[in-house]
Amino acid sequence: MDVSLEQSAFFQKIKERIPAHLSIVDELEDLLNISTDSAYRRIRGEKELSFSELQKIAMHFNVSADLALNSTTGDEIYFKYKPIDEEKFNLLDYITNAYQIVKKFADSGSCEMIYAAKDMPIFHDFYNDELAAFKTFVWQKTILGFRKFENRKFSFATVDSNLIKTGKKLLSEYNRFSSIELWNEETIQSTLLQIEYYAECGLFENPKDAFLVLKKLEEYILHLKNQAQKGAKFLIGEDLDSDSGSFKLYHNEVVLSDNTVLAILDDQKVSFITHNAFNFLSTSNDRFCDASH
């Protein structure tokens, strides 16, 4: 393997991913405390990067060190992974993190997201507050098993307003760029099963709330149909505007999907795959993203 070629290709990929106003030479000088000449020698592959330098560069430019290994066998792929934790990275942190990622996609002005949906994409859960309140409760009590939810029943009176507010911000950013989504008959089924399970197990503080959640789910599905017919994304009760991203919804009749997401920007692809139902792993590995596409 020619290390110099691998290293120069690594820096070329970083150049393609960073804002145009940034000078990679200046960044390396400050980051590694080296001279301009030393920075150029590393970029050209004349001076091999140490492990610690590779680590610093990957963290500074927010890229995977996998970029430096893409031209080897290609059998090993590295993913970013930050699982939800009740204490250190709770659901609000998770949704805030998702918002920041999606906002970056929306701000690029050229993002298209392709989503093979096993169940309702998280963005869709926030089209109305009541459905969002129920879904976020189910995630924390039943899917994630948070201890403080162990003996609680669902009630609209105890909804975390910050969680709903942040989820709606996430939805607004998602609505700004184009989406292609592949759904099948199972995609809505998990939410229906959750409502049924909570009703049968007496997990609604007020049993009548089960019918309200069902009504709001129906409202959402009718809105989903409206968006599919108009080919654009927008909020319930609102009209299309200049920020409405295009929306193509396909009925996948062939296989059950696995919640695979691919974001395509001008010069970059990012793949997301779910892990343990709710968490996700992400990678910009070219071969993996191309295969997902």
Side-chain angles (χ1 to χ4, degrees):
M1 179 180 69
D2 189 332
V3 174
S4 64
L5 291 177
E6 299 292 336
Q7 193 163 298
S8 59
F10 170 58
F11 281 112
Q12 180 58 40
K13 289 174 182 177
I14 290 179
K15 288 179 182 178
E16 294 170 356
R17 286 164 166 76
I18 64 175
H21 69 275
L22 288 182
S23 165
I24 193 169
V25 174
D26 293 342
E27 295 290 314
L28 287 179
E29 287 181 39
D30 295 337
L31 179 65
L32 304 180
N33 193 26
I34 58 177
S35 67
T36 301
D37 181 63
S38 293
Y40 274 114
R41 289 178 62 207
R42 284 164 173 78
I43 292 171
R44 291 193 296 262
E46 296 170 3
K47 169 68 174 175
E48 187 174 346
L49 291 172
S50 67
F51 178 80
S52 62
E53 288 176 337
L54 176 61
Q55 187 179 40
K56 286 180 181 178
I57 292 168
M59 293 180 65
H60 179 75
F61 290 107
N62 193 28
V63 298
S64 171
D66 183 35
L67 284 175
L69 306 173
N70 263 352
S71 299
T72 60
T73 65
D75 293 335
E76 294 180 350
I77 297 175
Y78 296 85
F79 290 86
K80 291 183 179 179
Y81 178 50
K82 193 170 185 180
I84 296 178
D85 178 272
E86 189 168 6
E87 303 299 331
K88 299 178 181 178
F89 190 64
N90 59 33
L91 186 59
L92 178 58
D93 295 330
Y94 173 92
I95 294 176
T96 300
N97 184 57
Y99 160 74
Q100 292 168 347
I101 293 172
V102 172
K103 187 178 189 305
K104 179 181 177 182
F105 292 161
D107 287 344
S108 74
S110 62
C111 179
E112 177 180 69
M113 179 176 286
I114 305 176
Y115 200 130
K118 182 178 182 179
D119 45 29
M120 286 167 52
I122 185 173
F123 321 107
H124 293 252
D125 293 312
F126 293 96
Y127 271 111
N128 63 56
D129 291 356
E130 293 82 3
L131 183 59
F134 176 73
K135 292 289 289 187
T136 52
F137 184 88
V138 171
W139 295 338
Q140 294 173 97
K141 178 179 176 65
T142 306
I143 308 300
L144 298 169
F146 285 177
R147 291 185 300 275
K148 65 181 180 181
F149 283 78
E150 186 175 354
N151 298 313
R152 287 176 56 181
K153 294 183 178 182
F154 173 74
S155 171
F156 288 114
T158 58
V159 172
D160 185 342
S161 59
N162 286 331
L163 201 57
I164 306 302
K165 185 184 300 183
T166 306
K168 292 176 79 69
K169 287 172 59 180
L170 170 65
L171 171 63
S172 294
E173 297 300 328
Y174 156 81
N175 278 350
R176 290 173 55 201
F177 53 77
S178 300
S179 290
I180 298 173
E181 298 188 8
L182 295 83
W183 290 35
N184 56 42
E185 295 176 2
E186 300 293 322
T187 305
I188 295 291
Q189 187 71 6
S190 62
T191 299
L192 288 169
L193 290 173
Q194 288 161 7
I195 297 170
E196 181 181 36
Y197 174 77
Y198 267 58
E200 289 184 347
C201 294
L203 293 175
F204 283 98
E205 192 74 51
N206 181 350
K208 293 182 180 179
D209 286 345
F211 296 98
L212 177 57
V213 174
L214 276 172
K215 179 180 178 181
K216 290 299 180 177
L217 177 61
E218 180 183 29
E219 176 185 80
Y220 154 74
I221 292 173
L222 291 173
H223 179 67
L224 179 70
K225 178 182 178 181
N226 190 21
Q227 289 182 115
Q229 289 175 332
K230 293 184 177 180
K233 297 184 288 187
F234 51 97
L235 299 177
I236 293 177
E238 296 188 5
D239 294 323
L240 303 182
D241 58 38
S242 58
D243 282 337
S244 295
S246 68
F247 182 62
K248 295 181 180 179
L249 181 63
Y250 290 88
H251 180 199
N252 172 11
E253 301 177 88
V254 182
V255 295
L256 295 180
S257 300
D258 56 0
N259 280 341
T260 297
V261 186
L262 179 68
I264 305 172
L265 291 81
D266 276 335
D267 52 5
Q268 184 181 10
K269 292 178 183 175
V270 185
S271 286
F272 301 85
I273 56 175
T274 55
H275 169 65
N276 282 348
F278 204 83
N279 295 298
F280 64 83
L281 300 90
S282 64
T283 182
S284 295
N285 178 276
D286 292 334
R287 292 177 67 247
F288 189 91
C289 289
D290 289 342
S292 298
H293 195 185

